[in-house]
């Protein structure tokens, strides 16, 4: 079970890093003033933070549900 969880966490982390790097590159490569670019980067980073936090919460809830199902199956088998 650990390998599956590690694979999921690696996938989420890779996705998050890709979002941040791609978004930052897109913002930095557009011709705009420095203060405007920094403001856009800050807004983008905040949005990405919220998105990753939401996805991590969903993953934690899904994982908790899966663990509870496994425990219940174990209880039914041992009875």
């Amino acid at each position: 079970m650990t390998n599956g969880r590690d694979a999921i966490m690696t996938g989420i982390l890779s996705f998050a890093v890709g979002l941040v790097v791609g978004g930052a590159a897109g913002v930095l490569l557009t011709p705009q003033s420095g203060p405007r670019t920094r403001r856009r980067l800050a807004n983008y980073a905040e949005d990405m933070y919220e998105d990753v936090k939401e996805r991590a919460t969903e993953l934690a809830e899904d994982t908790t549900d899966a663990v509870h199902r496994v425990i219940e199956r174990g209880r039914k088998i041992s009875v």
Side-chain angles (χ1 to χ4, degrees):
M1 182 142 167
T2 301
N3 291 336
R5 184 177 49 171
D6 290 345
I8 291 171
M9 292 306 289
T10 300
I12 290 173
L13 182 60
S14 298
F15 178 74
V17 169
L19 280 175
V20 171
V21 170
V27 170
L28 289 174
L29 295 175
T30 59
Q32 297 175 358
S33 67
R36 185 170 181 198
T37 300
R38 286 190 292 277
R39 189 170 44 251
R40 286 186 66 196
L41 270 175
N43 290 339
Y44 182 79
E46 184 178 326
D47 291 345
M48 288 300 101
Y49 170 77
E50 291 299 324
D51 187 45
V52 168
K53 188 168 90 172
E54 181 180 319
R55 290 175 189 265
T57 300
E58 290 172 4
L59 177 64
E61 290 171 357
D62 291 346
T63 302
T64 300
D65 291 343
V67 168
H68 287 289
R69 284 193 305 270
V70 168
I71 290 171
E72 285 302 314
R73 284 185 199 162
R75 286 182 181 154
K76 288 178 184 178
I77 291 171
S78 66
V79 171

